[in-house]
Amino acid sequence: MANAWDADLISGGASSSEYKGRPIGIGLIGTGGIAQSVHLPAYKKLQDEGKVRIVALCDIKPNKLAEANAKFGPAQTYENYEELLANPEVEAVDVCTPNYMHMPPVVAAFEAGKHVICEKPIAIDSKQGQLMVAAAQKAGKKFQVGLNMRFGAGPQAIKRLVDAGKLGEIYYARAQAIRRRGVPMWGVFTEKDKQGGGPLIDIGVHILDMSLWLMGHPKPVSVSGTAATKFGHRTGHINLFGQPWDPNNFTVEDFASGYVKFENGASLVLESSFVLNNDRERFETSLYGTEGGVFLDLHNDDNTRIYTEEAGTLFDSQPVFLPGVATHEQEIRSYVQSIIDDKAVAVPGEQALMVSTILDALYESSDTGREVRF
Ligand SMILES: NC(=O)c1ccc[n+]([C@@H]2O[C@H](COP(=O)([O-])OP(=O)(O)OC[C@H]3O[C@@H](n4cnc5c(N)ncnc54)[C@H](O)[C@@H]3O)[C@@H](O)[C@H]2O)c1
């Protein structure tokens, strides 16, 4: 059987482009932090441009719902996502709920015939992710996942370089999403049952996705790794994200590392932490190819570097100008445009599922002490 992430299974593109020349009805589920800070402001701009209409908002917390409606409405408001999905004016859905609440509304949205963008990670695990991708494929609707970092100017420039063959064969990647002291204290980020995991699933997901995308999504064949909790159960440590974490409500790892091998012979090392005695926060990936290497710092495009050997000389080069990009806004614009133009989404559910499958395998390897082979 083919893997769910095979390119020929990528969902979307089946529907006719019935949306040209009129605003698409948007329904957003989960009007909390990320929705109010970046998703809804992006839709508001697109609404001003006549491309969408914010039709409906949903949250189980009436105060969050009222707050979002006051800022981004007036829209129809719901405390139950099933009711939002029953609204025929909602054509495209945006799911910004916590990870454990990604799969149920996404599957229900596809069953209701809507297009979907869902925040990252795809779900708390790959089993749920598979249900979501299968539902998207069955519905023939667009399914994008919120791996917004791909839209940055640095990553886009490097992707063009890779696609032009400038790195040659990429055979190794080193990906780091490391915080020295950065435990998110809002939401459910330290609760395994609601979040699916710790830094690996929260921020490791971005850097792994970035690396796989730049590598051209080679098929993984094996994963080994370790997930550890060395600080989460302790008290008295600094947390640069404000208040201290609650050691009694810390059921995720605070550090993870893994090693992935791919069918084409390439390999990748992944490191991720909420707490680590490291110099500083790092959101970085290095790719090593037969013709060149690159370094990407996702917090600072100016640190982008390209390493080559040309005409008997070793060169370090860097882009002279990269425009600042609001990556979340760009991701929403891209989602909406893919619906209008009836073209494939930029971050398909299938690729987010591949990320989730690797992360699941890393956790499994940590639990069993063995390499996981696909
Ligand atoms: N891409 C990024 O940069 C980025 C950044 C932050 C968060 N996120 C992702 O966004 C998601 C939400 O994170 P957040 O920080 O906004 O969390 P949050 O807790 O601030 O917001 C989530 C909201 O969902 C609501 N909710 C929960 N269950 C619901 C349900 N059944 N129906 C309707 N609403 C429901 C909550 O009441 C809350 O208001 C997570 O999956 C997270 O990984 C992504």
Side-chain angles (χ1 to χ4, degrees):
M1 202 184 106
N3 285 307
W5 50 73
D6 280 351
D8 58 351
L9 292 179
I10 283 175
S11 54
S15 56
S16 68
S17 192
E18 62 202 84
Y19 306 96
K20 281 216 163 87
R22 66 169 184 87
I24 298 167
I26 302 292
L28 185 139
I29 303 171
T31 58
I34 196 72
Q36 291 201 36
S37 60
V38 286
H39 287 232
L40 286 165
Y43 289 117
K44 192 86 176 161
K45 281 191 189 172
L46 285 163
Q47 184 162 273
D48 293 344
E49 294 168 22
K51 291 189 171 168
V52 305
R53 213 158 48 89
I54 303 171
V55 165
L57 300 170
C58 168
D59 203 292
I60 50 172
K61 291 183 188 153
N63 63 328
K64 284 283 157 201
L65 190 53
E67 192 180 279
N69 198 31
K71 284 192 217 158
F72 304 102
Q76 296 179 54
T77 55
Y78 303 90
E79 290 177 28
N80 177 329
Y81 68 77
E82 298 279 1
E83 288 172 16
L84 176 144
L85 294 174
N87 182 339
E89 288 183 41
V90 173
E91 297 169 298
V93 171
D94 188 333
V95 174
C96 293
T97 46
N99 299 352
Y100 74 96
M101 198 40 70
H102 286 181
M103 185 275 283
V106 168
V107 169
F110 286 128
E111 285 170 356
K114 321 285 187 190
H115 301 289
V116 178
I117 184 169
C118 172
E119 257 303 345
K120 50 56 56 174
I122 189 169
I124 56 169
D125 60 30
S126 60
K127 280 200 191 84
Q128 291 196 354
Q130 280 165 16
L131 296 176
M132 295 154 82
V133 167
Q137 289 170 354
K138 189 169 171 207
K141 295 292 173 182
K142 312 291 180 203
F143 182 23
Q144 182 166 333
V145 176
L147 291 154
N148 57 292
M149 290 191 162
R150 288 194 198 181
F151 293 91
Q156 289 287 330
I158 295 303
K159 179 68 172 159
R160 290 194 294 275
L161 209 66
V162 169
D163 288 349
K166 299 288 183 192
L167 300 193
E169 174 201 345
I170 299 172
Y171 57 93
Y172 180 52
R174 188 196 308 126
Q176 294 178 306
I178 287 175
R179 291 192 189 131
R180 182 168 175 170
R181 295 284 187 278
V183 181
M185 292 313 303
W186 63 96
V188 294
F189 290 88
T190 62
E191 297 171 54
K192 175 94 178 168
D193 59 331
K194 297 196 177 72
Q195 183 69 2
L200 194 57
I201 206 161
D202 186 37
I203 53 178
V205 68
H206 277 298
I207 206 72
L208 176 59
D209 175 70
M210 176 67 63
S211 308
L212 294 173
W213 174 60
L214 292 171
M215 293 169 88
H217 287 101
K219 232 176 234 186
V221 291
S222 68
V223 178
S224 57
T226 300
T229 310
K230 298 294 181 189
F231 288 86
H233 301 147
R234 289 156 61 178
T235 52
H237 284 283
I238 295 165
N239 184 13
L240 297 175
F241 282 9
Q243 67 196 91
W245 59 85
D246 176 4
N248 299 314
N249 194 28
F250 200 110
T251 48
V252 297
E253 85 281 359
D254 51 37
F255 168 77
S257 68
Y259 182 63
V260 186
K261 284 188 189 175
F262 300 93
E263 196 176 62
N264 66 359
S267 60
L268 175 148
V269 163
L270 174 65
E271 296 174 357
S272 191
S273 70
F274 281 160
V275 186
L276 189 72
N277 284 324
N278 190 54
D279 58 347
R280 60 177 173 85
E281 177 160 334
R282 290 179 183 277
F283 248 82
E284 301 168 354
T285 189
S286 296
L287 301 175
Y288 301 93
T290 50
E291 305 303 317
V294 295
F295 172 78
L296 264 178
D297 176 349
L298 300 190
H299 282 342
N300 189 352
D301 277 343
D302 290 342
N303 290 337
T304 304
R305 293 288 182 279
I306 299 145
Y307 305 113
T308 51
E309 177 183 333
E310 284 166 59
T313 307
L314 297 178
F315 282 94
D316 293 0
S317 38
Q318 66 190 95
V320 174
F321 171 73
L322 287 170
V325 173
T327 59
H328 290 100
E329 181 181 327
Q330 207 50 41
E331 109 184 332
I332 302 291
R333 284 186 176 279
S334 171
Y335 168 57
V336 167
Q337 204 57 46
S338 69
I339 296 172
I340 294 172
D341 295 343
D342 191 19
K343 62 179 189 202
V345 295
V347 188
E350 287 81 354
Q351 293 176 358
L353 174 58
M354 180 194 210
V355 173
S356 174
T357 303
I358 291 173
L359 298 184
D360 273 6
L362 199 160
Y363 284 127
E364 184 186 334
S365 169
S366 181
D367 288 344
T368 60
R370 307 171 87 92
E371 181 184 71
V372 173
R373 300 186 72 80
F374 295 116

